[in-house]
Amino acid sequence: MSNVSNSANRRIVLAARPIGVPSAGNFRLETQAVPVPSQGQMLLRTVYLSLDPYMRGRMSDAPSYAPPVEVGNVMVGSTVSRVEQSQHPDFAVGDWILSQNGWQDYAVSDGKGVFNLGALLEHPSSALGVLGMPGFTAYMGLLEIGQPKAGETVVVAAATGAVGSVVGQIAKLKGCRVVGVAGGAEKCRSAVEELGFDVCLDHRDPALKELLAKACPKGIDVYFESVGGVVFDAVLPLLNTRARIPLCGMIAHYNDTALPQGPDRSAQLMGTFLKKRIRLQGFIIFDDYGPRFPEFQKQMGAWLAAGKIKYREDVVDGLEHAPEAFMGLLEGKNFGKLVVRVGAETA
Ligand SMILES: NC(=O)c1ccc[n+]([C@@H]2O[C@H](COP(=O)([O-])OP(=O)(O)OC[C@H]3O[C@@H](n4cnc5c(N)ncnc54)[C@H](OP(=O)(O)O)[C@@H]3O)[C@@H](O)[C@H]2O)c1
């Protein structure tokens, strides 16, 4: 047993479901008593909270692959925590735990569905990014669905984000030409100079279509799709016969409230897919590839140790800033994996 650091548990709940772009009024900060673990349980203190695009889907009650957060309930989210008190034989005070505490300081757990990361952890927050769900998404989506081969051209959307940055670097390790698409000159510079992409283009550039065609003189063999919108429109005419599209996300559309205006282009889209025999496959990372997480951890750990994969984190201090940081994620304000430092790393 040890003392509890704070006397109160701050938590951020869903105050109301957003219509379109989320605003501060969709969230509410509440304070409760710190929960007390019973026999067979432990008290977890959140150190890092992951903020991810999928949370926009959980704020909505539209049908999806996972149930929504109920209004008044704490927002869901992956966390890296420390064991503050333990009445569980397999977990000791000070252990680092990867779990789903959500947007709050404390949670009680019976140990089911959590990963014990041990007592010593060099970069705890990386378990939420490059070594966690986003890195795993990049690894499986690119290698299993994208099937990149040396010499092929891979285009990566949201290129400097948690998933995209890893996709592009793995594609480079596989000997591909990698073209990123990101928001703004600074992100594009970083994709080329720090991550080693061949080219990176700004999706806000009105000449994106022409610039992408120039950057992909042999067409596109793999398009790792995380965005939709104008990026997909620029990619579509450049896809080669037998191109593969891992459909990871469509962040440009998460706040949509209606179908876009304009002509119905589904026949053109299906026709292109048919004639070019394009394979597009959506995937939900842990539902589809969960058992392969240990294989990924081993490979990514080796790449990181060898300096072959680099990562960048965007760390925001304070649980109370999570709503603002999350809203920024949907507008591209994050630069790298977005995490909130909720509490001190020290046990
Ligand atoms: N299928 C799965 O299992 C799975 C798992 C994890 C993530 N995902 C998906 O993968 C994608 C990336 O997730 P992540 O965690 O790596 O997030 P992230 O890339 O770190 O952050 C989101 C980025 O999306 C870009 N973005 C936001 N709005 C945009 C818009 N309207 N148009 C173009 N780009 C926009 C922004 O980058 P720029 O500034 O560069 O535009 C923003 O920084 C998301 O679509 C997410 O839903 C799917």
Side-chain angles (χ1 to χ4, degrees):
M1 300 283 281
S2 88
N3 290 327
V4 174
S5 307
N6 295 311
S7 54
N9 179 35
R10 295 168 310 152
R11 50 183 230 154
I12 294 174
V13 302
L14 178 65
R17 297 201 188 284
I19 298 165
V21 179
S23 65
N26 298 125
F27 304 94
R28 188 173 61 241
L29 178 66
E30 293 181 344
T31 302
Q32 292 189 330
V34 176
V36 179
S38 322
Q39 200 56 42
Q41 293 184 326
M42 58 185 159
L43 178 66
L44 300 176
R45 178 178 61 80
T46 308
V47 179
Y48 291 104
L49 163 68
S50 181
L51 293 181
D52 299 278
Y54 75 82
M55 293 166 174
R56 176 64 185 83
R58 300 289 200 283
M59 296 174 80
S60 159
D61 58 4
S64 187
Y65 61 93
V69 174
E70 293 304 328
V71 173
N73 281 4
V74 69
M75 285 289 296
V76 289
S78 297
T79 49
V80 170
S81 332
R82 297 205 85 162
V83 178
E84 190 95 342
Q85 298 179 355
S86 182
Q87 302 213 42
H88 192 297
D90 300 334
F91 299 89
V93 168
D95 280 353
W96 286 97
I97 306 294
L98 176 63
S99 59
Q100 300 287 322
N101 292 4
W103 299 24
Q104 59 184 342
D105 287 312
Y106 291 98
V108 157
S109 166
D110 61 7
K112 291 197 186 102
V114 311
F115 288 96
N116 193 342
L117 302 169
L120 296 171
L121 209 54
E122 211 177 333
H123 299 293
S125 51
S126 67
L128 300 171
V130 69
L131 273 168
M133 185 276 282
F136 187 35
T137 301
Y139 178 87
M140 295 308 315
L142 178 68
L143 297 180
E144 282 298 305
I145 303 173
Q147 304 265 333
K149 290 164 203 70
E152 288 190 330
T153 299
V154 176
V155 173
V156 190
T160 60
V163 176
S165 60
V166 178
V167 170
Q169 291 181 85
I170 298 177
K172 282 307 301 175
L173 289 174
K174 298 291 170 191
C176 300
R177 172 172 176 76
V178 175
V179 178
V181 183
E186 181 52 19
K187 287 186 178 180
C188 287
R189 186 202 60 74
S190 158
V192 173
E193 291 177 14
E194 286 155 26
L195 303 177
F197 291 21
D198 295 283
V199 180
C200 186
L201 304 171
D202 186 347
H203 61 76
R204 295 190 197 107
D205 192 322
L208 178 66
K209 278 188 179 175
E210 296 76 42
L211 292 172
L212 191 64
K214 220 173 177 183
C216 303
K218 294 186 194 164
I220 298 171
D221 301 295
V222 180
Y223 172 49
F224 196 97
E225 171 66 300
S226 292
V227 166
V230 297
V231 185
F232 183 76
D233 287 345
V235 163
L236 186 62
L238 301 174
L239 290 167
N240 288 332
T241 297
R242 299 197 191 282
R244 289 82 63 197
I245 306 179
L247 176 49
C248 175
M250 299 192 68
I251 195 166
H253 300 283
Y254 291 174
N255 290 323
D256 286 358
T257 52
L259 288 173
Q261 298 282 321
D264 178 356
R265 291 185 301 159
S266 54
Q268 179 212 14
L269 183 67
M270 302 280 250
T272 305
F273 281 21
L274 171 62
K275 283 177 252 170
K276 291 191 173 168
R277 285 144 287 166
I278 287 163
R279 185 147 58 89
L280 176 145
Q281 191 182 322
F283 67 106
I284 302 298
I285 187 60
F286 279 102
D287 290 10
D288 293 328
Y289 296 108
R292 293 186 60 184
F293 192 59
E295 165 202 320
F296 154 75
Q297 284 178 306
K298 199 170 161 211
Q299 176 62 82
M300 186 55 73
W303 278 334
L304 288 169
K308 291 185 172 170
I309 297 274
K310 296 183 183 129
Y311 68 98
R312 176 185 195 121
E313 291 178 340
D314 188 337
V315 182
V316 171
D317 268 305
L319 179 67
E320 65 281 15
H321 294 125
E324 188 189 342
F326 174 68
M327 291 184 280
L329 175 83
L330 299 173
E331 296 171 20
K333 288 190 178 156
N334 64 305
F335 193 170
K337 170 66 194 131
L338 184 60
V339 291
V340 180
R341 188 168 16 231
V342 177
E345 284 195 9
T346 45

